[in-house]
Amino acid sequence: MSDSMILFPLMSGVLPRPGGGRAKGIFLPDQGGSWLARLAGTRNNLLLCPWLNDEERLYPVGVSARVLDVEAQPAFDEDGQAVPVFLATLEGQEFMRWHSFRGSQELVLAEGVETVPLRQMRKKYPAISGAGWQPAGGYTEFRGPEDLPVTIYGLDVETGREISITANLGGLVTPEQAHTIEHGIIRALQQAGLCTVRTLLSAIAHETEELKWSVEAGIRFAMPEILGQTQGGACGNPMTYLAQAYFSETFLEQLEAGENAADAVARARKSAMSQVMEDLDLTGDPQLRALEGLKKGMSHDDTPLPVAVCKRVLQQFPFSPWG
């Protein structure tokens, strides 16, 4: 166990892949960029840890990295003004966990840092690594109760190549649960850089609440375009597809009839949501329609998964897109 290590929070971006994977990041001079420049080319490692937006805290597991190169260059703000930044190339070393942190000379130091051999621990503590790639989306194929492939896809941050991971969850969970798990894995990887039982359950809870909000707000304000929109991305499902199709059809009809664009949009929105509610037989009760829309329209299940099931789900996936 190491006494301490410089801790760099990652508000957005990705972790470099352990074992020598490289990633580039932009840092402001007063937010650690100057310190990165001092570390460039040395053997001193720093610890990169994700910031969890859902929980507003630092995740205690990250990737240690060596600073290979730091280049000062200008960036531009919203007003077109030049802002000095540092572009750093980082090389991932290994997964590490910290137990506490403290401030020191404009830096944050992680205390009680120890290596976490996640790949070797998968049998007891299954996890999926998000280090070295950017999960962008996914899809669940509803082939049958015993055949439910779930795929998460994204980009290799070092090469830009499209990569993915897939697992067949047939016989383990229902189709609705598989779709919900797909969204949870993406969100956990995007925020924590690691999908464990804990981060998966947390991500599923936040994702389903946002999906239910999108149903309720979409119906209440007649806005089909917000259906299925969450921090994790857009959910493809029968409800959103129907709403988009109905909206487009009615909008074009109104334009052809000579209605102006603003009135055509308003009419198409109301018509689309009305037809979707009728097709899916959704109740008008505000306390029930969001849950009905989630289950019947979006093919999601908001029932919390047992920990044992989560473990088996994660064990079906490879540790990373590289095996």
Side-chain angles (χ1 to χ4, degrees):
M1 181 180 292
S2 173
D3 290 334
S4 63
M5 184 179 290
I6 297 174
L7 177 64
F8 267 73
L10 290 182
M11 304 302 292
S12 62
V14 295
L15 298 164
R17 180 158 56 105
R22 298 184 180 186
K24 291 186 177 182
I26 294 177
F27 299 86
L28 296 174
D30 59 351
Q31 294 182 356
S34 298
W35 278 97
L36 285 176
R38 299 179 198 177
L39 293 174
T42 71
R43 292 186 175 276
N44 296 316
N45 288 344
L46 52 86
L47 182 57
L48 303 169
C49 285
W51 174 262
L52 301 180
N53 290 322
D54 288 338
E55 301 177 22
E56 297 187 340
R57 68 180 181 89
L58 272 175
Y59 191 56
V61 177
V63 173
S64 59
R66 191 160 60 93
V67 185
L68 298 182
D69 180 63
V70 176
E71 179 183 350
Q73 62 181 42
F76 298 91
D77 60 20
E78 296 177 354
D79 299 322
Q81 299 296 315
V83 178
V85 299
F86 288 104
L87 178 63
T89 301
L90 306 171
E91 182 182 72
Q93 304 298 306
E94 53 190 344
F95 280 106
M96 305 195 82
R97 176 186 179 89
W98 53 267
H99 291 271
S100 63
F101 62 85
R102 61 183 174 86
S104 174
Q105 297 179 352
E106 301 179 353
L107 283 175
V108 177
L109 294 179
E111 303 282 359
V113 180
E114 58 183 335
T115 301
V116 185
L118 291 171
R119 190 185 294 271
Q120 290 75 21
M121 297 167 60
R122 288 202 83 214
K123 188 172 183 179
K124 187 174 182 180
Y125 301 106
I128 302 171
S129 170
W133 65 301
Q134 290 180 303
Y139 52 89
T140 300
E141 300 174 71
F142 302 144
R143 297 175 181 173
E146 301 297 322
D147 193 7
L148 292 171
V150 175
T151 298
I152 312 298
Y153 59 83
L155 294 177
D156 183 325
V157 299
E158 193 168 356
T159 66
R161 182 173 59 90
E162 292 186 2
I163 51 179
S164 64
I165 55 173
T166 299
N168 197 319
L169 304 185
L172 186 57
V173 295
T174 67
E176 292 77 16
Q177 287 173 326
H179 191 197
T180 305
I181 287 167
E182 171 209 318
H183 279 250
I185 292 175
I186 295 168
R187 190 180 185 115
L189 293 177
Q190 288 176 341
Q191 289 206 15
L194 197 64
C195 184
T196 64
V197 170
R198 188 180 184 283
T199 60
L200 176 59
L201 288 173
S202 175
I204 287 176
H206 287 287
E207 192 75 5
T208 52
E209 284 305 309
E210 290 179 13
L211 285 173
K212 285 192 287 186
W213 177 88
S214 78
V215 173
E216 175 56 30
I219 294 174
R220 179 182 300 179
F221 302 111
M223 296 181 68
E225 63 269 26
I226 67 174
L227 291 175
Q229 298 293 327
T230 71
Q231 287 188 37
C235 176
N237 57 71
M239 188 174 190
T240 60
Y241 295 148
L242 280 174
Q244 291 165 6
Y246 286 143
F247 173 83
S248 298
E249 181 182 359
T250 306
F251 177 66
L252 291 175
E253 288 176 353
Q254 296 306 307
L255 287 181
E256 291 173 356
E259 195 162 27
N260 65 62
D263 290 340
V265 167
R267 187 185 297 273
R269 282 173 169 168
K270 291 180 181 179
S271 176
M273 292 311 304
S274 177
Q275 290 183 77
V276 167
M277 290 187 68
E278 182 178 347
D279 286 354
L280 298 178
D281 193 26
L282 298 183
T283 179
D285 186 343
Q287 296 185 353
L288 297 176
R289 64 191 181 193
L291 184 57
E292 279 192 353
L294 179 77
K295 292 177 177 290
K296 295 167 64 174
M298 295 188 171
S299 301
H300 276 269
D301 189 339
D302 66 337
T303 306
L305 290 170
V307 169
V309 173
C310 287
K311 285 186 175 182
R312 291 184 63 192
V313 163
L314 294 176
Q315 286 169 343
Q316 305 308 306
F317 285 90
F319 178 67
S320 77
W322 299 276

